[in-house]
Amino acid sequence: MENSISGMIEEQNEYVGYNSDDSEMEENLQHEDGWSEDEFDIAYDEFDNDENHGKHIDDQNDENHGEHTDSLNTSEAQFDTQLEYDYYGESDLDTGHTDDVEGASVSEDSVDMSQAMPSASQPEKTQKCSNGNEYPDNNRDLYWMIKEMTFISEAAAFSFYNRYAKDYGFSVRLDQVKRFDDGVIRLRRFVCSREGRRPKKQLTTEGRVYRLRPESRCGCKARLVVKFDGRTGFWVVQDFRDKHNHDPAEPCETPFLRSHRTINDAQRSEILSLGSMGVRKHLIMRKFIAGSGSFAGVGFTRKDLYNMCSRERRRLLFDGDATTAIRIMAKRKKRDPEFFYEYDVDDKGRLKHMFWCDSQSRRDYQDYGDVLVFDSTYKMNKYKMPFVPFVGLNNHRRTTVFGCAILSSENEQTYVWILKTFLKAMCQQKPKAVITDADYAMIGAIGKVFSGVSHRICSFHIEKNMEMHLPNKSLNEFRTLLYYTTSEQVFEERWHAFYIKWQSPKTRTWMKRMYNKRKLWAAAYLSEGFWLGMKSNQRSESLNSCLHLHLDGEMTIVDMIMHYDNAIVCLRENEAHDDCTASQTTPVPITNFRELEVAAAKIFTPAVFYIIQGELSKIGGIEILEKMQVGDSNIFIVAWRNHVRTRFYVEYRPKEAEIIRCSCQRMIRKGIPCKHILHVLHFLKFTEIPQCCALRRFTKNARLGLPARRTSDMFGWGWSGAEERMKYSRMNIKVSQAMHIALNNSEEYDLLNSTIDGIISRREGYAKGKAYGPLRSVHENEDASGPCDIVIGDPLKVSTKGAPRQEAQKSLMTKNGRPLGHMERRVQECAAAGRVVLS
């Protein structure tokens, strides 16, 4: 222990040095003239007054030393009082501690030297420090070394005493303070956190509902008093007492003492950055424990982390949730001119709707915006505002996001505003097809804004509705109407027969409603639409399921923005991986039609190629029945060898713009050549895929060589900016590599350790600001700041059109909130009542 303290003293003196001459001069002056402690202190202050600052005054009268003044910002302390109440222990703010102070300016004679040098009649006593070592009370060398120390600032004195306290197993608290007339601190007393007593009025349960907190103060007299020396410009030790009247904390207990629990700026920024990326708080704590080797090396507790996050959350939303969200959007727009956002407010200035998309989403829509899928999801935020993501399909047949919106209502007027804003963001480029749910307001808005665009209702929603409204025996027959491609006349005949057979008072209304919307769901009316093989809004649903991960229903709009951004980053990471696979690898041909297969592997992405490979493997069972010449076109009649009644017509026009198409219309619906076309190409001895059969949106060159921006512009969240975050990441990698090298080399280890210690000591130990002061506010983060004139009211909680609450229909719902179908409904036995309950 002596070695540890001596090391700290040597480190301090190496930077500052001793002030033994000034200390001895002061002590000799006091001893020779026989001045009292207070008289000497006043005389010394007057001496400083003549030399430096003018007339000095105390913040408090020496006659009433019990009224302490803390230099911590009172409003800051009160702001955090409620959080600190549970785990910081007793504080002056909570207890109103006003016990007497035993003279902040204490001379050497006033110190009980029996603590440093025991008499012959008194046996030597020892105390155990936190690491288990024992140090004797007569350790005069250590005592005088600390007494003769000087510090460059008050913060440096606190840093030293706090490290000393950590080694000896106690916590430090700020106590008495004295100032010059200009408010500059000239004397500060640091005490053991167990100094003083709790007022008697706080030791009774009278008038209290909650249990009293355990008492932590026991009147300990250990202290360190430092004062500013105007002649030298350093801080000198005025008084030091190292005797405690309580047992020190064990090494495993020390990390939980208040003054040894501090989240520094680097840790705070890392916590906020990880939190903005969707990492849960308990996992963040595990990360710090793993990096430190144990909980003792972290420097803070789980409660500190949770409270810091809560505190920063309140500071972030100090001006309001909607206002902060709009300011974040404005800041992103400033960094990225192609970022788009627009919002609408009601007559009282509260947020109604908001739509936003980044520059990469707008570029993705230009490349893959031929089919648009969107659906509203609920319980995404504390206002119950529906969240509407706009998604599509990229060249790897994976989900890509074009933008998103939040709504305060779900009427037709709201959807019209959202769709018009979407078109404004996408330069008025309409999609070729739209897939949504069966909401009437949404259908009406699409008809007004996306006129002439193919529209279909999600088949998954129809499946759920038919299971709820139709008898179980009729479901398969209804699916033939839903999925089988026939002529419109055949569909009408089949529907008429189905209606007569299965109509009943319970099903009649629903069947009439579905017939009125038949052009939006029946395959007979949708066969000529360009759907890329999609029949439902599963792409939107899958994104919603990703967004619903770790949601608690109390997310703010700002939380939702960051959560959405994290989901987008994950999707773009998958896209980058797919691009790497497509550019650096080549699928292996396995069919007997190797030339076409190799040609397809060069053009299409792997996901699309494997679909074409499956089609090529089937053309061996197809034959050409007849070939005809009609004008400039060649007509091929093809059929399965074992089923010649079902025939398909493939037209090939070689002149001018090369055209090849099939009566099965697979190329029109999915954008991928069918097996009939591939068989004709093989028959015509094609060695390359014609351009008319290779849509650019499915090729490896779908972006025309333009680079994609797949990093989030929210990367610097929790830091002063993305540049600082990038510097930290790069330095973190280098330091990790250096540590790995230094572990096996003692010289390199000592060099690296001393270099890091020097940087830390210069930054934290001798900073002009207080090392124990408040951390910088999250408002210093450039992502959270924005135009100060933007003030938007928070939206009101809305009533959505979502499904009934799960508790209301618990027996009729699955765990995911989906209504049970006929096949899933079963008889459940109520064990408690001993009876049968029908779900």
Side-chain angles (χ1 to χ4, degrees):
M1 175 56 64
E2 293 181 28
N3 294 335
S4 176
I5 299 300
S6 299
M8 290 192 293
I9 295 174
E10 290 175 2
E11 177 185 347
Q12 177 72 25
N13 293 333
E14 183 178 338
Y15 185 84
V16 180
Y18 282 97
N19 191 30
S20 57
D21 295 339
D22 295 335
S23 178
E24 290 176 2
M25 180 186 70
E26 178 182 333
E27 293 167 2
N28 294 335
L29 179 63
Q30 183 177 354
H31 292 171
E32 291 175 3
D33 294 350
W35 287 355
S36 66
E37 176 185 302
D38 292 339
E39 291 172 343
F40 177 79
D41 194 27
I42 294 173
Y44 185 73
D45 291 341
E46 291 177 353
F47 177 81
D48 286 346
N49 175 34
D50 296 337
E51 294 291 330
N52 299 286
H53 295 277
K55 184 180 178 180
H56 298 173
I57 60 173
D58 292 346
D59 291 338
Q60 51 193 340
N61 295 328
D62 292 337
E63 297 177 357
N64 186 12
H65 293 291
E67 299 179 2
H68 297 176
T69 304
D70 199 332
S71 66
L72 288 178
N73 187 291
T74 304
S75 61
E76 181 77 21
Q78 291 175 348
F79 181 79
D80 298 337
T81 296
Q82 186 171 357
L83 287 177
E84 296 174 352
Y85 184 90
D86 294 336
Y87 67 100
Y88 282 179
E90 299 171 352
S91 65
D92 291 338
L93 290 174
D94 295 329
T95 63
H97 173 61
T98 58
D99 59 329
D100 293 337
V101 180
E102 294 189 1
S105 178
V106 182
S107 66
E108 179 183 339
D109 294 338
S110 64
V111 179
D112 185 4
M113 297 303 297
S114 63
Q115 301 175 12
M117 183 172 60
S119 62
S121 60
Q122 182 179 3
E124 180 177 330
K125 295 182 179 179
T126 60
Q127 284 186 330
K128 284 189 177 182
C129 43
S130 63
N131 60 6
N133 297 330
E134 295 183 353
Y135 63 93
D137 287 343
N138 63 349
N139 193 343
R140 297 188 60 187
D141 293 338
L142 176 60
Y143 174 83
W144 286 110
M145 288 175 67
I146 296 178
K147 279 283 291 183
E148 294 173 356
M149 289 183 65
T150 57
F151 304 93
I152 196 171
S153 66
E154 176 199 356
F158 175 84
S159 178
F160 163 77
Y161 192 52
N162 195 46
R163 285 184 292 169
Y164 170 85
K166 186 174 184 180
D167 286 337
Y168 281 87
F170 68 95
S171 178
V172 178
R173 191 178 77 243
L174 302 181
D175 198 60
Q176 185 185 25
V177 61
K178 293 184 179 181
R179 302 176 185 270
F180 294 116
D181 54 358
D182 57 1
V184 177
I185 297 176
R186 66 182 182 87
L187 182 142
R188 166 67 77 181
R189 184 169 73 170
F190 308 109
V191 299
C192 175
S193 62
R194 306 194 66 179
E195 182 267 349
R197 298 284 184 180
R198 183 185 293 184
K200 292 183 179 180
K201 63 181 181 180
Q202 296 189 9
L203 295 175
T204 177
T205 58
E206 183 179 355
R208 298 178 181 272
V209 179
Y210 299 102
R211 180 177 57 191
L212 294 176
R213 290 179 292 113
E215 187 174 5
S216 61
R217 300 194 179 185
C218 60
C220 182
K221 302 300 181 182
R223 67 183 63 171
L224 174 68
V225 182
V226 294
K227 64 181 296 184
F228 179 74
D229 186 352
R231 294 167 298 183
T232 63
F234 293 113
W235 288 72
V236 299
V237 176
Q238 178 78 3
D239 181 27
F240 173 63
R241 300 188 184 185
D242 60 351
K243 183 66 175 179
H244 298 265
N245 64 351
H246 58 87
D247 294 332
E250 296 294 331
C252 59
E253 301 170 357
T254 304
F256 300 99
L257 298 179
R258 177 65 190 95
S259 68
H260 308 310
R261 291 159 40 200
T262 303
I263 301 178
N264 58 42
D265 284 354
Q267 291 172 331
R268 167 192 169 277
S269 298
E270 188 71 14
I271 291 170
L272 294 180
S273 180
L274 292 173
S276 67
M277 295 172 62
V279 182
R280 310 301 289 175
K281 296 182 183 62
H282 69 281
L283 297 179
I284 296 176
M285 189 64 188
R286 290 183 184 178
K287 181 261 183 189
F288 278 96
I289 293 176
S292 302
S294 68
F295 69 89
V298 176
F300 55 87
T301 64
R302 297 177 187 273
K303 189 74 172 181
D304 297 336
L305 187 149
Y306 276 81
N307 284 343
M308 188 278 290
C309 293
S310 178
R311 183 165 55 249
E312 295 295 345
R313 179 190 179 101
R314 292 200 304 272
R315 287 175 178 170
L316 173 65
L317 303 178
F318 179 78
D319 294 328
D321 187 15
T323 298
T324 304
I326 298 300
R327 289 178 180 177
I328 291 175
M329 297 296 178
K331 198 66 179 183
R332 298 177 72 178
K333 175 70 174 180
K334 184 178 179 180
R335 289 198 304 265
D336 182 7
E338 294 186 9
F339 182 87
F340 180 89
Y341 77 99
E342 195 162 304
Y343 62 93
D344 188 23
V345 297
D346 59 14
D347 53 354
K348 294 184 179 180
R350 290 190 293 260
L351 182 67
K352 288 176 59 180
H353 326 299
M354 184 171 67
F355 172 86
W356 74 95
C357 60
D358 60 12
S359 57
Q360 186 58 49
S361 294
R362 300 177 73 180
R363 296 173 193 170
D364 289 341
Y365 183 79
Q366 301 300 319
D367 297 326
Y368 312 119
D370 37 24
V371 178
L372 179 65
V373 182
F374 66 94
D375 180 30
S376 58
T377 182
Y378 307 96
K379 299 179 181 179
M380 286 287 296
N381 51 76
K382 62 188 296 185
Y383 311 104
K384 307 303 179 186
M385 299 177 70
F387 177 82
V388 183
F390 294 82
V391 303
L393 200 68
N394 64 12
N395 57 338
H396 301 286
R397 299 193 65 84
R398 286 184 181 266
T399 301
T400 184
V401 182
F402 303 136
C404 64
I406 53 175
L407 315 175
S408 62
S409 60
E410 295 180 277
N411 52 40
E412 184 175 325
Q413 182 181 0
T414 299
Y415 282 117
V416 168
W417 183 90
I418 288 295
L419 295 179
K420 287 184 176 180
T421 305
F422 178 83
L423 284 182
K424 181 180 178 181
M426 305 305 172
C427 304
Q428 301 301 323
Q429 177 182 334
K430 294 182 180 180
K432 296 181 180 179
V434 179
I435 302 176
T436 66
D437 59 18
D439 184 72
Y440 278 103
M442 192 178 295
I443 293 174
I446 290 174
K448 292 181 179 180
V449 181
F450 288 161
S451 58
V453 175
S454 300
H455 179 207
R456 75 179 300 165
I457 297 175
C458 170
S459 59
F460 176 72
H461 287 83
I462 296 177
E463 287 268 4
K464 291 197 302 182
N465 287 324
M466 75 179 187
E467 291 178 357
M468 296 176 61
H469 295 90
L470 295 178
N472 189 31
K473 296 181 180 180
S474 66
L475 297 181
N476 290 334
E477 187 174 349
F478 185 84
R479 289 190 178 99
T480 61
L481 300 172
L482 177 62
Y483 296 116
Y484 286 5
T485 301
T486 60
S487 64
E488 297 180 9
Q489 181 180 359
V490 173
F491 172 83
E492 294 292 339
E493 294 174 355
R494 290 182 176 180
W495 175 264
H496 182 69
F498 178 83
Y499 181 80
I500 294 176
K501 181 178 181 181
W502 297 107
Q503 69 165 330
S504 67
K506 294 182 179 180
T507 62
R508 188 177 296 115
T509 302
W510 183 82
M511 293 176 71
K512 289 182 179 180
R513 189 166 65 244
M514 291 300 296
Y515 180 75
N516 294 334
K517 296 187 293 185
R518 64 190 182 281
K519 294 183 179 181
L520 299 177
W521 58 266
Y525 294 92
L526 301 173
S527 59
E528 296 183 359
F530 183 72
W531 308 109
L532 298 178
M534 294 187 291
K535 298 178 181 179
S536 68
N537 57 2
Q538 59 182 353
R539 299 288 170 178
S540 178
E541 294 287 352
S542 63
L543 177 62
N544 291 343
S545 64
C546 177
L547 292 171
H548 274 290
L549 187 65
H550 299 316
L551 294 185
D552 54 8
E554 293 298 325
M555 292 184 73
T556 63
I557 298 177
V558 175
D559 293 334
M560 189 171 57
I561 291 173
M562 292 188 291
H563 194 66
Y564 165 79
D565 205 71
N566 293 329
I568 301 305
V569 170
C570 292
L571 294 178
R572 290 173 180 169
E573 178 187 352
N574 295 333
E575 183 181 10
H577 180 268
D578 292 336
D579 285 345
C580 177
T581 302
S583 64
Q584 302 300 318
T585 62
T586 302
V588 178
I590 58 174
T591 67
N592 297 327
F593 312 96
R594 184 180 180 86
E595 293 181 347
L596 286 176
E597 195 172 2
V598 171
K602 293 180 180 179
I603 298 175
F604 296 103
T605 60
V608 179
F609 167 78
Y610 290 124
I611 297 176
I612 296 177
Q613 189 180 61
E615 296 294 299
L616 285 171
S617 64
K618 300 176 183 177
I619 65 177
I622 298 176
E623 62 179 349
I624 298 178
L625 301 180
E626 186 178 352
K627 176 183 177 182
M628 298 181 296
Q629 183 76 28
V630 181
D632 295 336
S633 301
N634 296 320
I635 307 298
F636 298 88
I637 303 177
V638 298
W640 292 101
R641 297 181 186 274
N642 56 356
H643 198 278
V644 295
R645 291 184 179 181
T646 302
R647 301 183 178 186
F648 300 92
Y649 300 86
V650 179
E651 178 186 0
Y652 173 64
R653 186 183 303 170
K655 295 183 179 181
E656 297 179 359
E658 192 175 30
I659 296 176
I660 184 168
R661 53 192 174 190
C662 179
S663 61
C664 72
Q665 297 183 333
R666 179 186 177 93
M667 186 69 193
I668 297 176
R669 296 194 310 271
K670 297 185 177 182
I672 300 175
C674 62
K675 46 186 164 292
H676 315 116
I677 291 178
L678 293 174
H679 182 74
V680 172
L681 293 177
H682 174 68
F683 176 80
L684 296 175
K685 308 298 183 182
F686 271 74
T687 58
E688 299 290 339
I689 302 294
Q691 187 175 0
C692 62
C693 295
L695 296 184
R696 181 175 62 86
R697 64 152 0 266
F698 280 139
T699 64
K700 298 178 181 180
N701 194 33
R703 297 186 182 275
L704 297 177
L706 297 176
R709 179 183 176 183
R710 295 190 173 106
T711 58
S712 172
D713 59 355
M714 301 282 284
F715 178 70
W717 185 264
W719 300 77
S720 62
E723 183 178 356
E724 180 187 354
R725 182 68 174 90
M726 183 63 69
K727 288 181 179 179
Y728 175 85
S729 300
R730 292 173 179 172
M731 188 60 65
N732 189 32
I733 295 173
K734 290 182 179 180
V735 171
S736 299
Q737 294 174 348
M739 288 191 297
H740 182 73
I741 296 173
L743 285 177
N744 299 322
N745 190 317
S746 58
E747 294 181 0
E748 297 290 344
Y749 176 83
D750 294 337
L751 176 61
L752 179 62
N753 196 35
S754 61
T755 303
I756 295 176
D757 287 343
I759 296 174
I760 295 175
S761 62
R762 287 193 295 270
R763 169 62 181 87
E764 295 185 356
Y766 311 110
K768 293 182 179 179
K770 295 181 180 179
Y772 46 84
L775 298 173
R776 58 193 175 102
S777 172
V778 75
H779 291 291
E780 297 177 17
N781 186 296
E782 64 172 13
D783 293 310
S785 61
C788 297
D789 57 342
I790 298 179
V791 179
I792 306 295
D794 291 344
L796 298 175
K797 183 175 290 189
V798 300
S799 177
T800 63
K801 297 180 181 179
R805 295 181 60 184
Q806 185 172 344
E807 292 80 9
Q809 296 185 357
K810 184 175 181 180
S811 60
L812 299 179
M813 311 286 284
T814 64
K815 293 182 179 180
N816 296 326
R818 180 178 59 82
L820 292 174
H822 288 284
M823 298 295 294
E824 297 173 304
R825 297 181 186 181
R826 61 186 184 275
V827 178
Q828 297 178 346
E829 182 177 355
C830 181
R835 55 190 175 88
V836 174
V837 179
L838 293 177
S839 296

